[in-house]
Amino acid sequence: MTSTSRDVARAAGVSVATVSRAFSEAGAVSETTRRKVMTEARRLGYSPNPAARRLITGRSGNIGIIVPDLANPFFADIIKGVQRRARESRQAILVADTDEQSRLEADTLRTLSRQVDGIILASPRSAMDDLPSDLSVPIVLVHRQAPGWWSVTADFAEGVRQALVNLRALGHDHVAYAGGPQLSWSGGLRTNALRACAADLGVHLYELGSVAPTVNGGLAAADLALATPATALIAYNDVVALGAMRRFGARGVDVPGDMSVVGCDNTMLSLLAAPSLTTVDVPRFEAGEAAVALLDRQLADPDAEPIEQLLATALVIRGTTAPPRQT
Amino acid sequence: MTSTSRDVARAAGVSVATVSRAFSEAGAVSETTRRKVMTEARRLGYSPNPAARRLITGRSGNIGIIVPDLANPFFADIIKGVQRRARESRQAILVADTDEQSRLEADTLRTLSRQVDGIILASPRSAMDDLPSDLSVPIVLVHRQAPGWWSVTADFAEGVRQALVNLRALGHDHVAYAGGPQLSWSGGLRTNALRACAADLGVHLYELGSVAPTVNGGLAAADLALATPATALIAYNDVVALGAMRRFGARGVDVPGDMSVVGCDNTMLSLLAAPSLTTVDVPRFEAGEAAVALLDRQLADPDAEPIEQLLATALVIRGTTAPPRQT
DNA sequence: CAATTCGGTGGAAACGTTTACGCGCGGCTT
DNA sequence: AAGCCGCGCGTAAACGTTTCCACCGAATTG
């Protein structure tokens, strides 16, 4: 049987209001009574009922995060960032995984919105128009920008640009690109950046279209790449890159001898690959932490102008890029 | 401004009690009025305030899950299983990651316990004695058994036994084992099973001690293994196995030519490795789903006898195991 | 036809907090 | 020395539900 503030009040010889004040840290209670209250509270094993507190304050102390796929180390790391920051401010986090299904996003958003003080929406696969806009909780987008929305994104454009520049410097004129989900905003960013940059550099870019952001997607991408004259492949993310490497291996294509591969995200996977994967580093923990910070700011001042935070990216050279084999 | 049951009641010309009943699905309201209530509710954008509901019912509709490391695909998959099952019964999930620090577990458990109806505690790194036992919420252990606790575990013992039997059949008499965290219950299980089985088979087992369940742990394990006459390495999990493979590669040790490697868990990583990793399959989604089921059962009947559910494991042969090179 | 049940509904009391308001009391200003 | 300020605290009114109890009419029973 859990005890209530009334029990503590009685035991400490004060009123429930004082107990509440002692816990709310308002400093509006003398140090002596505060100590007395705390002692009794500990003795009785009391802690404030979150439901009751929430009913009156309207704050749950929880924040929600929605990701397309928990099993993708990229999103797992973002959540870890969120969690780290949230733990400091004693907030719990509700996570929801939409299994890469865009139609689950709106629903999940609506359900979650009643449970939390704010929501972090990572890499939504829906069009912004399909997302409910009348939710009464603040939202921060991660890796998606939209007018009027708060967001934290990484500079994917710069990252893939560096990748292409590097490949060009190695001597690759024919480069393939395997894109991710159609409605991935950051995917679009990469595509546009690559197009522009390819034109600038005089590199021939083979767009392989969009593949699933999974190992299987990578397998498919590899076959598509081999059907072009490309000597290098830039993949939507590390998972796709690794999948492609696997398929290259199976088809007897040497990486990086016959085909250079560049991933994106710099997840732990890129270090596990053999050879280790050249990839674009994007700060994931930091993105998670920044998102919580923005959420807190929005919570403090709901009418503030939306902030769009941009995180830096950089190419990390490892073992899967090399000059093309002389033919 | 979110509307309340009173608004809906007024609009529909009924009492708040009826509105409540219409939403509580009790079937204690006529179909006509129910429809009327629902119509008005939709029009006003009403949905029951979870805090108020929870205050009176004592149920939050949330379940918590605590894992040592979200970034480990093994736990990510367990969470996905939990999430899938929880979504069906319209429960949200609170996840907490303890960063492999056992001292965070008790705290997290206590904090979470006020927020949720039940907690799933996956692979705790603490001794059971260090965990608070007076929490008023039901708990289900995953991959840990303890007297008086509900749990769902996998038959790791059988899995590693199969691995050792297979290695023996390939001709390996000297096998190294890299263990995981000291207080990992399932780790202890593996160690004991391997010891017993090695004795039976006449295989010489080199216990490398415990390494961190991370890539770095794997790197270390590889060096330790090479300091023994072992021709095969069984690793605590896939991450460690992949880390070890990386180090073997760096030191010019061919896998599986010079050294066979067996992982554990059969995560997506094992398919990404080159060559793909021979590993022990352990059902992760199923573990998550089963844990929720047990939680629901415990919730329905708190005084029931604890259930200990066991999931089957099986060796999956892939590319990292082969007969030892003839010397 | 009278007595009884029962499905459907409303009134009101909880649930455990937070917080506006008010009050006594000591120390400060003038 | 009289008034004022502000600190510390208690009283009581919310917050938005669920649920017990009572009530009414209609249907069922004897």
Side-chain angles (χ1 to χ4, degrees):
Chain A
M1 224 58 282
T2 121
S3 50
T4 76
S5 62
R6 182 140 56 217
D7 300 329
V8 177
R10 192 160 18 218
V14 298
S15 75
V16 288
T18 303
V19 174
S20 168
R21 279 188 276 252
F23 273 88
S24 302
E25 323 267 329
V29 67
S30 80
E31 191 53 33
T32 53
T33 54
R34 173 205 199 78
R35 199 156 318 202
K36 183 178 242 166
V37 167
M38 287 309 189
T39 309
E40 290 303 319
R42 209 176 335 265
R43 194 173 64 76
L44 295 172
Y46 167 81
S47 69
N49 180 323
R53 167 175 283 182
R54 176 173 166 196
L55 180 57
I56 185 118
T57 61
R59 287 280 179 93
S60 66
N62 295 342
I63 68 185
I65 173 160
I66 303 178
V67 297
D69 183 12
L70 253 168
N72 185 333
F74 180 70
F75 295 116
D77 284 346
I78 291 182
I79 297 178
K80 287 199 83 154
V82 169
Q83 143 109 14
R84 187 194 297 167
R85 187 71 145 71
R87 189 195 291 279
E88 287 171 14
S89 43
R90 334 200 132 275
Q91 295 174 299
I93 69 175
L94 298 201
V95 340
D97 170 316
T98 59
D99 270 322
E100 293 277 356
Q101 300 178 309
S102 59
R103 58 191 170 71
L104 279 180
E105 287 178 349
D107 257 5
T108 310
L109 210 48
R110 228 184 296 268
T111 308
L112 226 48
S113 70
R114 296 302 311 254
Q115 300 267 9
V116 298
D117 297 337
I119 297 182
I120 294 171
L121 183 55
S123 303
R125 307 304 198 203
S126 311
M128 290 311 285
D129 292 343
D130 295 341
L131 263 26
S133 53
D134 56 346
L135 268 51
S136 42
V137 299
I139 294 183
V140 172
L141 263 26
V142 174
H143 296 148
R144 173 96 151 220
Q145 285 178 359
W149 294 74
W150 296 61
S151 66
V152 19
T153 52
D155 195 352
F156 290 101
E158 172 61 16
V160 293
R161 200 192 59 77
Q162 288 183 19
L164 195 55
V165 167
N166 187 264
L167 287 173
R168 179 76 182 89
L170 288 173
H172 295 274
D173 309 309
H174 298 262
V175 175
Y177 171 64
Q182 300 277 6
L183 279 164
S184 161
W185 179 87
S186 69
L189 213 59
R190 285 168 238 192
T191 308
N192 290 336
L194 283 174
R195 277 186 198 150
C197 183
D200 282 354
L201 297 172
V203 169
H204 198 119
L205 185 70
Y206 301 87
E207 299 186 26
L208 306 179
S210 95
V211 302
T214 60
V215 176
N216 282 331
L219 302 179
D223 286 339
L224 294 178
L226 289 178
T228 72
T231 54
L233 170 67
I234 298 179
Y236 175 71
N237 67 14
D238 287 350
V239 178
V240 171
L242 282 257
M245 282 173 67
R246 240 191 104 50
R247 183 66 181 158
F248 286 140
R251 292 192 53 183
V253 176
D254 181 53
V255 174
D258 302 320
M259 179 74 78
S260 286
V261 176
V262 180
C264 186
D265 293 348
N266 193 22
T267 56
M268 63 176 287
L269 298 179
S270 55
L271 277 173
L272 285 178
S276 59
L277 183 68
T278 296
T279 188
V280 173
D281 175 64
V282 356
R284 301 173 303 282
F285 294 91
E286 292 78 353
E289 293 186 316
V292 179
L294 252 45
L295 212 48
D296 286 346
R297 222 154 128 178
Q298 200 175 345
L299 233 25
D301 179 8
D303 298 323
E305 276 302 295
I307 298 178
E308 302 192 335
Q309 190 170 344
L310 188 66
L311 268 29
T313 61
L315 182 65
V316 179
I317 309 277
R318 295 212 185 87
T320 54
T321 42
R325 187 156 291 176
Q326 304 301 337
T327 51
Chain B
M1 224 58 284
T2 120
S3 50
T4 76
S5 61
R6 182 139 57 219
D7 301 329
V8 177
R10 192 160 18 219
V14 298
S15 75
V16 289
T18 303
V19 174
S20 169
R21 279 188 277 253
F23 273 88
S24 301
E25 323 266 329
V29 66
S30 79
E31 191 53 31
T32 54
T33 55
R34 174 204 198 79
R35 197 155 319 201
K36 182 179 243 166
V37 167
M38 287 309 189
T39 309
E40 290 303 317
R42 208 174 338 262
R43 195 174 62 77
L44 295 172
Y46 167 82
S47 70
N49 180 322
R53 167 175 282 182
R54 174 172 166 198
L55 179 58
I56 185 119
T57 61
R59 287 281 180 91
S60 66
N62 294 341
I63 68 185
I65 174 163
I66 303 179
V67 296
D69 183 11
L70 254 167
N72 185 333
F74 180 70
F75 295 115
D77 284 346
I78 291 182
I79 297 178
K80 288 200 81 153
V82 169
Q83 143 108 13
R84 189 194 298 169
R85 188 70 145 72
R87 189 195 290 279
E88 286 171 15
S89 44
R90 336 201 129 272
Q91 295 174 300
I93 69 176
L94 299 200
V95 340
D97 170 317
T98 59
D99 270 322
E100 293 278 353
Q101 301 179 309
S102 58
R103 57 189 171 71
L104 279 180
E105 287 178 350
D107 256 7
T108 309
L109 209 48
R110 228 183 295 270
T111 309
L112 225 49
S113 70
R114 296 302 311 252
Q115 299 267 6
V116 298
D117 297 337
I119 298 183
I120 295 170
L121 182 55
S123 301
R125 307 305 198 202
S126 312
M128 291 311 286
D129 292 344
D130 296 340
L131 262 26
S133 54
D134 56 346
L135 272 72
S136 44
V137 299
I139 294 184
V140 172
L141 263 26
V142 175
H143 296 147
R144 174 98 151 219
Q145 284 179 0
W149 295 73
W150 295 62
S151 66
V152 18
T153 53
D155 194 352
F156 291 100
E158 172 61 16
V160 294
R161 200 193 59 78
Q162 287 185 19
L164 196 56
V165 166
N166 187 265
L167 288 173
R168 179 76 183 86
L170 287 174
H172 296 272
D173 309 310
H174 298 262
V175 174
Y177 171 62
Q182 301 275 9
L183 279 164
S184 162
W185 179 87
S186 69
L189 213 59
R190 285 168 240 192
T191 307
N192 290 336
L194 283 174
R195 276 185 198 151
C197 183
D200 283 355
L201 296 173
V203 169
H204 198 119
L205 186 68
Y206 301 87
E207 300 186 25
L208 306 179
S210 95
V211 302
T214 61
V215 176
N216 283 331
L219 302 178
D223 287 339
L224 294 177
L226 290 178
T228 72
T231 54
L233 170 67
I234 298 180
Y236 174 72
N237 67 15
D238 288 350
V239 178
V240 171
L242 281 257
M245 281 173 67
R246 238 191 105 53
R247 183 69 181 156
F248 286 140
R251 292 192 51 184
V253 175
D254 182 53
V255 174
D258 301 319
M259 179 73 78
S260 287
V261 176
V262 180
C264 186
D265 293 349
N266 193 22
T267 56
M268 64 176 286
L269 298 179
S270 55
L271 277 173
L272 285 179
S276 58
L277 183 68
T278 295
T279 188
V280 174
D281 176 63
V282 355
R284 302 173 303 281
F285 294 90
E286 291 79 352
E289 293 185 316
V292 179
L294 252 45
L295 212 48
D296 285 345
R297 225 156 125 174
Q298 199 174 346
L299 234 26
D301 180 8
D303 299 323
E305 275 303 294
I307 298 178
E308 302 191 335
Q309 191 169 344
L310 189 65
L311 268 28
T313 62
L315 182 65
V316 179
I317 310 277
R318 294 214 185 87
T320 54
T321 42
R325 188 156 292 177
Q326 305 299 339
T327 50

